[in-house]
Amino acid sequence: QVSLVESGGGSVQTGGSLRLSCTASEEAFKNYTMGWYRQAPGKEREVVAAISSRGATYSTDSVKGRFTISRDHAKNTVYLQMNSLKPEDTAVYYCAADPKTLLGTIATGKYTYWGRGTQVTVSS
């Protein structure tokens, strides 16, 4: 069964760093666009960053310069390095995967596969 498993969440203070990981169960994900979304309490889920199979990236304006998405095909894993964390980054972070191109996922906002999420809490 296809699955995405996130790890690396936790609690940090403002200005701290965390690295999230998402490991896919199948090698086929090497050809997929991978994305990170987040959902804060009472808010809609929003895209944070995404990366194509070839390494092209996208990130939302609020995290540019602070968050970096990357992937390791050998490990079927995508990472989200989060630096200079702020309280407003507090959310459940979800990993997602889709066979569409990076532009396709940006245009539609839709992914086929989702992880269960990992909590990130940033305290002031």
Side-chain angles (χ1 to χ4, degrees), residues 49-60:
I51 186 167
S52 73
S53 60
R54 295 186 177 184
T57 62
Y58 164 84
S59 60
T60 194

Side-chain angles (χ1 to χ4, degrees), residues 28-65:
F29 281 98
K30 290 180 179 179
N31 299 315
Y32 284 26
T33 295
M34 304 292 291
W36 285 99
Y37 275 70
R38 66 185 179 187
Q39 187 166 21
K43 294 187 178 181
E44 293 187 355
R45 189 162 54 187
E46 62 172 354
V47 63
V48 177
I51 186 167
S52 73
S53 60
R54 295 186 177 184
T57 62
Y58 164 84
S59 60
T60 194
D61 287 345
S62 62
V63 307
K64 284 181 179 177

Side-chain angles (χ1 to χ4, degrees), residues 63-115:
V63 307
K64 284 181 179 177
R66 300 189 299 123
F67 292 10
T68 302
I69 188 170
S70 61
R71 66 193 299 169
D72 184 336
H73 285 306
K75 297 181 179 179
N76 290 342
T77 299
V78 62
Y79 303 98
L80 185 67
Q81 178 66 45
M82 305 186 295
N83 299 326
S84 301
L85 283 161
K86 305 175 181 180
E88 51 263 45
D89 295 318
T90 295
V92 178
Y93 283 70
Y94 297 90
C95 176
D98 196 272
K100 292 193 298 294
T101 63
L102 177 61
L103 290 178
T105 59
I106 292 171
T108 65
K110 294 182 179 180
Y111 283 77
T112 302
Y113 303 102
W114 291 87

